[in-house]
Amino acid sequence: MKQIVSIFILITSFCAQVVFSQSIPSESIIATNKLATYLKPEVQQELGGLNAITPAKLADYFRTKFSERYFYDWKNNDSRFQQYKNTYPNAKANHTERALDHMTKFPAIAQWKLPYNYQNGEPVDSYAMRHLARQHKMVDIAFYYNYQDKNPEYLNYFKNQLKSLNTALVANKYEIIEDGNGTYEAFRSGYRVLNWLEIHNMFLGEKAYSDEDQLVTIATLLQHASNLYESNTEFVPGNHQTRGMSALAMLSIVFNDFKDADKWNERAMHLLEQHLTKEINTDGFQFERTVHYHISDIDTYYYVYQLAKNSNIKVDEFWENKLKSLFVTLTKIAFPDKSAPVFSDDTNEPWAETNNISGALTLGYLLFEDPQMGYFANNFVESDMFWYLNDTQLKMLGNIKSKTPEFKSVHFPVTGFYFMRQGWEKNDMMMAISNGLDPEKPDHQHGDMLGIQAMANGQVILPNYQVRYSLKDFEFFKNSMVKNVALVDNEQQGKGYGGNQGGSGFGKFKKFPQPKNIAWNTNEDIDVYIGSHNGFENIGVNYSRQVIYLKGDLWIVKDNFKANSPHTYKQVWQGHYSMERAPNLLRSSFNDGSGSDIYQLVSTDSVATEGKNGKEWSVVSKKNKSNYSFITAIVPFKKFDDRIDEDKKNPSLKGWEVNKSKWTIEGSDPISLTKENSSVFFAVKKVVLNSVQLLFSDEADIFIKQEKNKITIESLSETDLKMTLINQKQKKTVLLKPGELMAFEVK
């Protein structure tokens, strides 16, 4: 038996060596005069045999292959750059600023391991080290070279910085992954590959970029591929590995001529497919629950998809469908002004209250020619994406077909996002509700469980805010005081915050509430969402939130707290709200005269305003209560005359009358809102109109629409309701689940 086990171990070991073995080294750079020996035999033969392949011949061969395989033909660099300058006249200043910033801080012969100082003597921190490793601003230097009439100083800067990394590699003087800032970590290495491929293609026709220079870059990129292959043998969740495997797949396509390229491609595509399967939720949202990382994933997969198409490599239908779903999702989450809400670690524009998704959906249109994507598209792409489109796609920008989306309210049940939408006119209303948590990698999650955002009349009336890892306020803006959530005492949702290993500024919470989505229903009259989380159970409080959209008019937000001892319960509302009739009426108004009222239907105790970095929020409190429910109306108004009349005791809310229903209601402290033949009731045990009686086993929240010989009843309660309907001809008892709607014939 031992002998059999030993043989099995030997076989397994041998197979592992076969699977992982590759020719191209991962810890050294192939000499340029040896590159030809690593070509596939058929490529060597095509070039006249190994002995006939000179460096000049090899460089010329790869210039030809790059013109065929890369995103665009480098032979058109000069004309494309002129088009770029005309299309993006403001890009020059940005490229110049970034290029000079990089060259001022780092010499061309850079150091790749901390600690050391910038050229001005100040210490280089971890955040800067990571960005040096990504080589983002090296792309700006390549542009600066073109803006400066092709001054070879800037091309040489790139060549020397690339060589300095190769020197650091051989000398083992670079940041390792265990430090948290690994120079060859998949994310940073992957971005470096993406950037260096762009620069390499941009320089291919330049006299100062000799055959030898080109081959050194190719040899360096091959070493990167080998390293990415060896260090990514198993699936690791998150965008770091996807960025690296996207780069490996790209290298396997543009350098398909080398012996190891097929192995690289197989490894990269296999792992990327696992990421597509596991990290693009079945509802179409990227698992990290942010627009920023959702769009980043689009780019990551796009690069591979586009290069594969350029080389006529068949892409699996699964790939194409998943990629398309990412674009479709962006259309579904959009505000009426075609922007998108802010979710968790969205980081493009710190403190911004929306996300720009037009660039991503322009790209989606160019790939899939879907007019609903075209509705959000521009007749241009973002300046950085210009260089990743082919000429046919650039021409398509002048003739984008557009179709207004047909969907309205939508939800993402796996990710935990819910969107109540009136329509697509610029003044239409929309609310986003967030109640989800990824179990594998909640690193980018914020303390906004059951948080809401809203837009009306073209204004974000209940905002959330983008963040930036390097800012001192990052931890604060990641937690609950800057979200539209409910809180208890001094508890916030995110607990146990800690920075990351590399010290770059990014940090995460160790503990979040566990969400529970109870009900979602949408119909022509109302949308209903009901959810809960366990974030306050540590102090003995159970909590849930109900959100009811009375379509075209207002939202009702009901926050429910239950405990065995008294607490202070709070609602936090973001935005610049004044205290018109504090604490029960808050108002925000905008520069066009529109605004939003926050009106409490149940009396509260106090409201306080706080602020940070230009943002402000109001905290409404109810003190010393065991069980309590806020019932809050969010009432946008287009003009002054539509506002809540603060001088009235029971003002009308967009035509909804408070506690003036034709129905007779009974309960401990019931509340009603009525407009025409529709009513919303809270905390009722019995409602009666003429011969119709509705009896409930527990106090109920319900919506009733009365028609000629029919009533429609929808449960707004968070638990199952036993309801008995009695009229002249029938007595019927039914069980209504949360959000469930039933219609009954009555006379």
Side-chain angles (χ1 to χ4, degrees), residues 138-163:
M138 189 60 72
V139 176
D140 298 292
I141 293 169
F143 279 104
Y144 192 62
Y145 164 81
N146 283 285
Y147 283 119
Q148 295 298 310
D149 298 322
K150 299 189 175 183
N151 185 333
E153 173 187 350
Y154 307 116
L155 193 155
N156 291 334
Y157 185 96
F158 162 68
K159 294 190 300 187
N160 289 327
Q161 194 146 103
L162 179 146
K163 290 176 183 176

Side-chain angles (χ1 to χ4, degrees), residues 78-94:
D78 288 344
S79 61
R80 186 172 270 243
F81 182 69
Q82 188 59 47
Q83 183 181 357
Y84 179 79
K85 287 199 299 182
N86 295 337
T87 307
Y88 309 98
N90 298 324
K92 180 179 179 179
N94 184 55

